[in-house]
Amino acid sequence: MKIEIQQTSPKLNKSNLVDVLEIVKNSKADLVLFPELALNGYKIKDALFEDAFSLDELDELKLLSQTKDICIGVALKEEHKIYNASIYFQNGEAIIYKKQHLPTYGVFEEARFFFAGDESFCFDSKFGKTAMFICEDMFSGDVLNYIASEKPDLVLVLANSPAREFKNDSLLIQDNWYSIIKTSSILSGAYTLFANRVGFEDGLGFWGGSCVITPKGEIEKQAKLFEIDKIETKMNKKLSTTQKYYLRKNK
């Protein structure tokens, strides 16, 4: 089964849905993965309440998920609350994860605008036991401990990571990210798929570098830096099973 990671540069409005629908319709993959807030853009700020989506507004994605799975980041409105959420659409149903760790430091202001989620969980997909997390969640020890404990087969990481601290041949934040998601795979025996956006918003430049991490903690494929791109992979279930055996855990 084929997985496609879309490295996009969303606009700061709800018109992104039109672009996403076109991408999904043209994809031959069994799962199409998009970055955090791919339907809204990142620096929404005071327009958030008007530009957030209700689940009913995403019925077209539900319909498309009858033939392929879709995982995408969205500002999701539930009554008076708005969450930075990722939604996994499969078989016409929606599984919703709400970002738990909202950064509010430096250039980040998420806790001013979003409500925080309070639950990590796994669910069954056609790829096996699956978990999804959003950006800052992965920098939390409790999330990494959860992944190590639950041993999912697939970990989906949706991000809006801006570029900072340039080095001669890379970015420090890129090195940090790859260390964390490699650790996720090594501790769980899972494939970890990292979808990060590109483009510029309000002085922030997003670096991309979306990638596939194997259960052995190796980078299998990597998207370009600072450019719209896509990458494709196929999960090797045997490799995941072998790595889980080495970890000698019951889950």
Side-chain angles (χ1 to χ4, degrees):
M1 289 184 288
K2 185 184 295 183
I3 297 173
E4 178 179 295
I5 302 176
Q6 285 284 340
Q7 182 168 284
T8 59
S9 177
K11 301 177 283 290
L12 276 171
N13 58 62
K14 299 175 80 168
S15 69
N16 296 300
L17 178 58
V18 176
D19 299 329
V20 164
L21 290 171
E22 188 68 19
I23 289 171
V24 173
K25 289 175 183 176
N26 291 329
S27 174
K28 304 298 185 184
D30 299 291
L31 166 62
V32 187
L33 173 65
F34 292 87
E36 175 184 10
L37 293 171
L39 286 174
N40 301 88
Y42 186 68
K43 302 285 277 186
I44 314 169
K45 294 187 176 180
D46 294 331
L48 180 61
F49 200 79
E50 289 74 29
D51 284 352
F53 286 86
S54 66
L55 187 58
D56 290 343
E57 293 179 277
L58 304 177
D59 280 347
E60 288 182 89
L61 289 173
K62 281 187 181 180
L63 183 62
L64 289 172
S65 74
Q66 297 284 4
T67 57
K68 68 192 73 172
D69 293 4
I70 306 154
C71 184
I72 193 163
V74 58
L76 183 67
K77 184 185 295 184
E78 294 183 352
E79 296 181 346
H80 68 284
K81 296 182 179 181
I82 301 176
Y83 297 95
N84 184 340
S86 58
I87 306 180
Y88 193 102
F89 294 97
Q90 62 177 351
N91 302 320
E93 301 294 332
I95 299 165
I96 299 170
Y97 170 79
K98 298 166 182 174
K99 188 174 183 178
Q100 300 176 71
H101 301 88
L102 301 174
T104 307
Y105 58 84
V107 299
F108 303 107
E109 303 177 290
E110 289 185 36
R112 291 184 56 200
F113 300 100
F114 292 105
F115 284 77
D118 58 6
E119 181 186 13
S120 298
F121 62 89
C122 292
F123 60 94
D124 291 328
S125 75
K126 64 181 65 171
F127 303 96
K129 189 176 182 179
T130 303
M132 50 185 170
F133 296 98
I134 303 175
C135 210
E136 188 81 6
D137 289 331
M138 294 298 292
F139 286 78
S140 169
D142 62 324
V143 166
L144 287 177
N145 183 64
Y146 177 84
I147 293 170
S149 174
E150 289 297 316
K151 301 289 183 293
D153 300 304
L154 179 63
V155 178
L156 306 173
V157 180
L158 294 71
N160 274 188
S161 175
R164 53 191 188 273
E165 296 193 53
F166 288 83
K167 298 165 59 177
N168 290 333
D169 56 353
S170 66
L171 299 163
L172 178 59
I173 189 62
Q174 178 186 4
D175 293 344
N176 290 345
W177 259 114
Y178 288 176
S179 294
I180 288 170
I181 55 181
K182 285 179 180 181
T183 299
S184 166
S185 285
I186 291 169
L187 292 177
S188 62
Y191 275 87
T192 301
L193 307 183
F194 174 64
N196 188 30
R197 66 160 291 182
V198 293
F200 290 85
E201 282 184 17
D202 196 20
L204 292 181
F206 299 90
W207 56 275
S210 304
C211 64
V212 177
I213 307 294
T214 72
K216 296 173 68 175
E218 299 172 321
I219 296 178
E220 182 176 89
K221 291 190 176 180
Q222 179 183 328
K224 298 173 184 176
L225 299 183
F226 300 105
E227 296 182 33
I228 293 172
D229 199 5
K230 74 174 181 180
I231 52 178
E232 297 176 341
T233 191
K234 290 184 178 180
M235 284 180 61
N236 181 346
K237 182 66 174 176
K238 183 178 179 180
L239 179 59
S240 179
T241 301
T242 301
Q243 290 304 114
K244 290 180 190 302
Y245 169 75
Y246 290 149
L247 291 168
R248 301 294 200 279
K249 300 293 184 183
N250 291 326
K251 290 188 177 181

